[in-house]
C-alpha cells in the first residue's frame, strides 16, 4: 500500500510538471536564441575612467550618432547589416579620430568588430539579456575606461523609429522592454533536481 501511494504521488508530480513545462513553452517564444544572432551592438570605450577621457568618449558618441545616423536606415536584415559593417566601422573610426584630434588627444581610435560576451544591460527601457552578441567596438586609446553602448542594428541609437519593427521580429517588445531569457531552461533544471530526490 505504501509503495502504491508513493508511485501515485510520483505520477501526479510528473503530470503536474509536464503541464508546467507545456505552459512555459506557450508563454516564452521558442526562438529566443535569435536575439544573439540578430542584434549588433555598438560600444564606445574610453581611454580611461579619468574625467577628461570620459568627456571625450561622450563627444565621440555624439559625433558618431550625428554623422552616422543614416547607417542601416534602409537595411532590413542582419545579413545586410553585416555586409555593410566594414564600411560602417571605417566611417565611425574616422569620425572618432577626427574628434580626438580636435580635442588634442595623444591617442587614436580603432574600430574592432567581432563577437563579444556581455552581461544583462538596459538601453532606453529595453533590457538585453546576458550573452554573446555581434559587437562593433570603438576603442579610444587603450579602451580601458567605462563604455557607452547602444544597439547599432536594429538602429536604436541611430534611428529608433525604424528599429521597432525589427526588434519585434526577434522577440523584443520595445513598448514593454520585454526580451527573451533563459528562464525556461532554469526551471527545467530545477525540476530535474527535484525529481532526482526520489531516486537517491
Amino acid at each position: 500500500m505504501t509503495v502504491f501511494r508513493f508511485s501515485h504521488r510520483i505520477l501526479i508530480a510528473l503530470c503536474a510538471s509536464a503541464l508546467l513545462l507545456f505552459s512555459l513553452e506557450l508563454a516564452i517564444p521558442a526562438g529566443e536564441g535569435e536575439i544573439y544572432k540578430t542584434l549588433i551592438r555598438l560600444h564606445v570605450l574610453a581611454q580611461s575612467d579619468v574625467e577628461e577621457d570620459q568627456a571625450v568618449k561622450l563627444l565621440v558618441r555624439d559625433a558618431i550618432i550625428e554623422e552616422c545616423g543614416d547607417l542601416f536606415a534602409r537595411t532590413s536584415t542582419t545579413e545586410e547589416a553585416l555586409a555593410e559593417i566594414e564600411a560602417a566601422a571605417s566611417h565611425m573610426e574616422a569620425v572618432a579620430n577626427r574628434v580626438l584630434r580636435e580635442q588634442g588627444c595623444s591617442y587614436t581610435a580603432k574600430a574592432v568588430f567581432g563577437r563579444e560576451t556581455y552581461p544583462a544591460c538596459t538601453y532606453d527601457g529595453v533590457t538585453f539579456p546576458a550573452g554573446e552578441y555581434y559587437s562593433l567596438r570603438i576603442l579610444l586609446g587603450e579602451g580601458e575606461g567605462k563604455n557607452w553602448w547602444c544597439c547599432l542594428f536594429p538602429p536604436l541609437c541611430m534611428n529608433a523609429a525604424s528599429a521597432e519593427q525589427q526588434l519585434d521580429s526577434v522577440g523584443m517588445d520595445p513598448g514593454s522592454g520585454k526580451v527573451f531569457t533563459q528562464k525556461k531552461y532554469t526551471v527545467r533544471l530545477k525540476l530535474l533536481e527535484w525529481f532526482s530526490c526520489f531516486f537517491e
Side-chain angles (χ1 to χ4, degrees):
M1 189 69 175
T2 302
V3 174
F4 175 78
R5 288 178 179 174
F6 180 75
S7 300
H8 186 65
R9 289 175 182 172
I10 289 289
L11 181 60
I12 292 175
L14 285 170
C15 292
S17 298
L19 181 60
L20 174 61
L21 290 175
F22 178 72
S23 300
L24 283 171
E25 291 290 344
L26 294 178
I28 303 175
E32 64 187 43
E34 288 300 309
I35 188 174
Y36 303 110
K37 297 183 290 184
T38 305
L39 300 184
I40 303 175
R41 295 169 62 141
L42 171 65
H43 287 249
V44 180
L45 291 84
Q47 155 81 354
S48 72
D49 284 335
V50 302
E51 185 175 348
E52 293 80 3
D53 288 337
Q54 287 294 314
V56 167
K57 175 193 73 178
L58 297 179
L59 291 175
V60 170
R61 172 202 67 184
D62 294 343
I64 286 176
I65 290 175
E66 180 179 356
E67 299 187 31
C68 304
D70 290 336
L71 286 174
F72 308 132
R74 290 170 294 279
T75 302
S76 58
T77 68
T78 304
E79 288 73 19
E80 292 174 354
L82 291 174
E84 299 176 16
I85 201 67
E86 185 175 351
S90 297
H91 188 187
M92 291 185 187
E93 183 178 291
V95 170
N97 276 314
R98 191 201 69 221
V99 173
L100 295 182
R101 287 194 301 271
E102 291 172 350
Q103 297 303 310
C105 297
S106 60
Y107 51 86
T108 58
K110 182 178 181 180
V112 179
F113 180 72
R115 298 280 293 178
E116 295 289 333
T117 300
Y118 294 108
C121 293
T122 300
Y123 178 82
D124 198 23
V126 179
T127 299
F128 294 73
E132 187 180 85
Y133 293 84
Y134 288 117
S135 174
L136 176 56
R137 296 184 297 157
I138 308 298
L139 305 177
L140 306 182
E142 298 299 320
E144 295 180 349
K146 292 185 178 69
N147 77 100
W148 170 86
W149 78 279
C150 72
C151 186
L152 182 60
F153 182 82
L156 280 179
C157 49
M158 303 297 184
N159 190 338
S162 68
E164 289 194 2
Q165 183 175 358
Q166 292 156 321
L167 281 175
D168 182 65
S169 70
V170 296
M172 301 180 69
D173 180 353
S176 68
K178 180 181 178 181
V179 299
F180 293 146
T181 68
Q182 302 301 321
K183 182 177 179 180
K184 63 182 178 182
Y185 302 112
T186 302
V187 172
R188 284 173 178 164
L189 289 173
K190 290 296 182 184
L191 286 170
L192 287 174
E193 291 174 5
W194 183 65
F195 282 134
S196 68
C197 294
F198 287 103
F199 303 101
E200 290 180 346

